Amino acid sequence: MSSERLAPLIVLAGPSGAGKTTIVDRLLATTTLPIRRAITATTRPPRPAEIDGVDYYFWTRGEFEDRIAAGAMLEHAIVHGRDYYGTPLSEVRPAREAGTAVILVIDVQGADQVRKACPDGLVSVFLRPPEFDDLAARLRCRGESEETIRRRLESAVRESARIGEFQYELVNADVGTATRELERIIGSRFPPTGSASCSSN
Ligand code: 5GP
């Protein structure tokens, strides 16, 4: 397929607990648009219900650094001051070339790298909760430790200062409404206009 017909690349960022994963899961379960979520990689340990290769690729630090050195990552960042997270190029390029839009659920540092590496066909969306007080409650429901919650709330404040770097701001007051709005945004970017390939970071 010619590079003019690369399908859109959607970057969905926003603080932990804003509901990014819930909304993307709902979108993928209900949409008729050709779209898939990239499985990204992390060095953090899996949570009890998480499966390697489904929720994330769970890599050791050494494995992650080898992939970075090999130029196999579209973007990568240390998130919440602790673990590596990143997107393998193999999760993005082949699908976009085949006409399937790819959605990345990543942090603001990663979003910044993707914006620079492949600006064409990029749809960037920042998802935020209606009230920041909701975040701590949502993280507590997940059973996170107080230390983890503290780190994530600090990241949320830092991340939210960068909303202006995104093309769209989406407020998650209601999952159904936010999901439909995200679908409308993505749908408006079909047929794709992307023309550039992505470089590794
Ligand atoms: P969690 O540990 O709760 O699954 O994710 C923590 C944060 O890491 C989330 O805000 C998520 O968006 C971000 N994240 C997940 N995968 C990636 C990735 O591949 N790259 C970057 N930069 N951030 C990621």
Side-chain angles (χ1 to χ4, degrees):
M1 175 172 280
S2 87
S3 59
E4 275 85 51
R5 294 172 63 201
L6 271 184
L9 178 60
I10 299 104
V11 167
L12 182 67
S16 275
K20 299 184 297 280
T21 306
T22 306
I23 284 177
V24 169
D25 287 348
R26 176 82 69 94
L27 173 73
L28 295 180
T30 55
T31 189
T32 54
L33 295 170
I35 176 164
R36 76 181 290 269
R37 179 176 77 93
I39 313 293
T40 63
T42 181
T43 57
R44 81 150 164 73
R47 296 187 186 121
E50 286 180 331
I51 300 169
D52 186 32
V54 175
D55 298 286
Y56 281 104
Y57 298 111
F58 294 100
W59 293 344
T60 63
R61 242 183 140 74
E63 287 170 333
F64 207 109
E65 286 169 353
D66 286 350
R67 256 63 161 232
I68 296 170
M73 304 304 286
L74 168 60
E75 60 77 33
H76 65 275
I78 305 250
V79 179
H80 306 315
R82 200 164 40 185
D83 289 299
Y84 275 122
Y85 288 77
T87 310
L89 278 167
S90 58
E91 285 290 315
V92 175
R93 266 188 197 153
R96 292 187 76 198
E97 285 171 4
T100 299
V102 176
I103 188 157
L104 302 179
V105 183
I106 62 178
D107 86 320
V108 291
Q109 308 168 78
D112 198 34
Q113 293 172 40
V114 174
R115 201 176 287 121
K116 290 176 179 139
C118 44
D120 293 319
L122 183 71
V123 184
S124 64
V125 182
F126 190 94
L127 181 75
R128 67 170 182 84
E131 301 288 344
F132 273 90
D133 291 351
D134 293 353
L135 285 181
R138 289 190 205 194
L139 292 171
R140 281 196 184 93
C141 285
R142 275 192 205 167
E144 304 281 13
S145 70
E146 286 302 315
E147 167 61 13
T148 299
I149 291 170
R150 191 187 58 73
R151 280 174 181 274
R152 286 175 182 242
L153 291 177
E154 279 172 13
S155 299
V157 172
R158 265 199 315 277
E159 298 210 334
S160 298
R162 299 179 63 175
I163 287 182
E165 297 171 17
F166 290 78
Q167 295 163 340
Y168 301 91
E169 180 183 342
L170 198 58
V171 180
N172 185 14
D174 171 77
V175 171
T177 309
T179 305
R180 281 193 298 279
E181 178 60 9
L182 180 61
E183 184 177 30
R184 193 194 59 72
I185 291 168
I186 298 169
S188 75
R189 304 296 283 267
F190 277 93
T193 53
S195 61
S197 59
C198 298
S199 50
S200 66
N201 192 285

